Amino acid sequence: MKGRAIRAATVIGTFLPLVLGGHRATEADDLPHVVPDAKCDALDISDAPLRAFRSPDGSITAFATHYRNRALVGSSFGAMAKNCSVAYEGTLDPDPSHFNYKTWITATWIGDDGSVIALGHNEYQAHELVGHCRFADYSSCWYNSIVLLRSNDRGRTFHRADDLDKAVVAPDFADTLGQGHPRGYTSPTNLVKWGDYLYTLVGYSGVDQGDSGRCVLRSRLPVTTSSWEIFTRDGFVRPNQSAYEDQARVRCEYVTGMRGFVGSIAKLANSNLFVATVAEDINGGSIVAYFSDDLVHWHDRQVLEQVPLFWSKDCSIGKRFSYPSLIDENSPGPNFDQVGRTPTLYLVQGGCEIGSDLALVKTKVKIKPPSEAH
């Protein structure tokens, strides 16, 4: 498809009216007014937390996209528009050992030379392939891994980096036939630079039902598929990259102190703390912040917004939300991995049915460090 710029198909609206004075909004009039807009195609929806980087020319490129990945581009966050050119799409490769079925761009990092790397959330959806899963539904046949993508044109197009038969991190088991529940590594947060490394948190779900948590991944620069390490009880080690070739059995040490969907992490300016943004289905649904000085132990839960989540039972306001991401739009760094006290919270807003009426919305929030919370 020939690229063309249009207003963002996932309209960036104003989320602020949803919560008034810290109380849950209940009237339809309190909802943000999101005007329907033209889509590039049926797969042009917001389906991941917003990630962004600033190019050397000052322009912003951002992704909050489906597996047919398209960028939002503009001179500022307020001027971003959708480019209908596809930046990356997996090949629906039926061989799970190639890790190239459907891939969502879920973390980006622009280097000093203008090149961009991205972590991709890769799903092998075995229910779509006859004979590859004994179940018929999506979640029971979900085999997930994290892959590395690279762009040499500042995010306009991406390609698989390095060895196509290896992932950044993959499950240490190869069975897709008899799963029964989602398994593998999923949903990287954005990347944060700390010392000589880039860090991200990734979700993991194991062979046994209920064995799940968040793992810390890191890589030195320059980033390659094999430059990543995963945090275990023995420290950082090389992770499994393919159960089809690599016989290692590496298990991460889960982070502690928080549960829920972790949408983003960032360094908190003028402190030694990191802040994580989490969607929690507690008390009807909340977007909360947690703090850490080591990315492993998290504490001091702070509610940013009370909103029903995609998986919440409550849909009394006619909308549900997920995929939180904190971005300080005024951050001097090109990768927005640091936030101040009043960053912008981006969310994906949907209707009462999962997957319907998806739109990207935002509001300003206040971050109060634990030392000031009491």
Side-chain angles (χ1 to χ4, degrees):
M1 181 185 293
K2 185 177 181 181
R4 61 187 177 91
I6 62 171
R7 282 199 306 132
T10 48
V11 182
I12 299 175
T14 301
F15 171 69
L16 185 59
L18 182 62
V19 176
L20 303 176
H23 299 290
R24 185 181 306 278
T26 56
E27 300 297 330
D29 290 343
D30 290 333
L31 295 171
H33 180 59
V34 180
V35 180
D37 207 341
K39 291 186 177 182
C40 302
D41 59 27
L43 291 177
D44 183 17
I45 60 175
S46 290
D47 196 38
L50 186 76
R51 309 298 186 218
F53 61 86
R54 184 187 295 111
S55 293
D57 64 2
S59 62
I60 304 297
T61 299
F63 292 91
T65 185
H66 204 35
Y67 63 81
R68 184 169 293 162
N69 297 270
R70 293 181 169 97
L72 294 161
V73 294
S75 59
S76 66
F77 282 92
M80 290 193 300
K82 179 63 63 66
N83 188 328
C84 279
S85 294
V86 176
Y88 183 79
E89 184 172 6
T91 64
L92 300 181
D93 189 331
D95 186 338
S97 71
H98 295 164
F99 308 106
N100 198 21
Y101 196 71
K102 294 179 180 178
T103 301
W104 285 248
I105 291 175
T106 47
T108 59
W109 188 268
I110 188 168
D112 294 337
D113 61 354
S115 65
V116 182
I117 59 101
L119 292 178
H121 160 101
N122 180 258
E123 297 186 8
Y124 185 72
Q125 297 179 359
H127 70 292
E128 296 184 345
L129 302 168
V130 176
H132 285 246
C133 184
R134 66 169 56 105
F135 301 93
D137 62 294
Y138 165 65
S139 63
S140 294
C141 303
W142 206 19
Y143 182 77
N144 303 309
S145 57
I146 309 300
V147 297
L148 183 67
L149 308 177
R150 191 177 304 278
S151 173
N152 296 319
D153 54 15
R154 297 181 182 175
R156 287 189 290 274
T157 59
F158 286 84
H159 58 272
R160 278 286 296 275
D162 308 318
D163 190 337
L164 296 182
D165 293 337
K166 288 185 178 179
V168 165
V169 59
D172 61 359
F173 49 85
D175 173 42
T176 63
L177 182 64
Q179 290 198 146
H181 64 276
R183 298 194 296 185
Y185 291 92
T186 66
S187 308
T189 66
N190 57 300
L191 293 164
V192 170
K193 191 169 189 297
W194 183 25
D196 295 329
Y197 292 88
L198 299 182
Y199 289 82
T200 180
L201 302 185
V202 300
Y204 177 76
S205 183
V207 172
D208 298 329
Q209 187 83 31
D211 175 18
S212 63
R214 279 272 164 175
C215 310
V216 182
L217 278 180
R218 73 178 188 180
S219 172
R220 285 187 181 271
L221 294 167
V223 175
T224 66
T225 298
S226 297
S227 64
W228 294 86
E229 299 174 324
I230 194 166
F231 183 71
T232 71
R233 62 180 57 188
D234 297 318
F236 281 97
V237 302
R238 178 181 176 272
N240 298 307
Q241 292 184 285
S242 174
Y244 302 89
E245 297 180 5
D246 188 346
Q247 299 303 309
R249 292 293 182 265
V250 177
R251 283 300 307 269
C252 85
E253 186 81 353
Y254 294 147
V255 305
T256 64
M258 64 180 181
R259 300 287 291 180
F261 178 85
V262 185
S264 69
I265 57 175
K267 294 177 291 186
L268 185 62
N270 301 314
S271 79
N272 64 346
L273 294 174
F274 297 91
V275 57
T277 316
V278 184
E280 286 186 344
D281 194 15
I282 297 175
N283 298 325
S286 297
I287 307 299
V288 303
Y290 285 91
F291 301 88
S292 174
D293 61 6
D294 61 5
L295 293 172
V296 176
H297 305 95
W298 295 87
H299 51 81
D300 290 285
R301 178 178 183 269
Q302 181 182 137
V303 177
L304 301 178
E305 297 284 358
Q306 278 194 285
V307 291
L309 306 180
F310 283 177
W311 51 89
S312 298
K313 294 181 180 179
D314 175 32
C315 196
S316 59
I317 63 174
K319 300 291 180 183
R320 290 192 175 112
F321 299 83
S322 194
Y323 300 130
S325 181
L326 276 186
I327 291 182
D328 191 330
E329 297 178 355
N330 297 314
S331 175
N335 290 290
F336 301 99
D337 61 335
Q338 178 174 285
V339 298
R341 302 295 183 89
T342 56
T344 299
L345 172 64
Y346 282 87
L347 294 171
V348 174
Q349 171 187 283
C352 289
E353 294 184 12
I354 294 177
S356 65
D357 303 322
L358 296 176
L360 193 63
V361 294
K362 66 179 183 178
T363 187
K364 286 283 189 180
V365 294
K366 293 183 179 180
I367 302 295
K368 184 176 290 186
S371 61
E372 302 175 8
H374 304 291

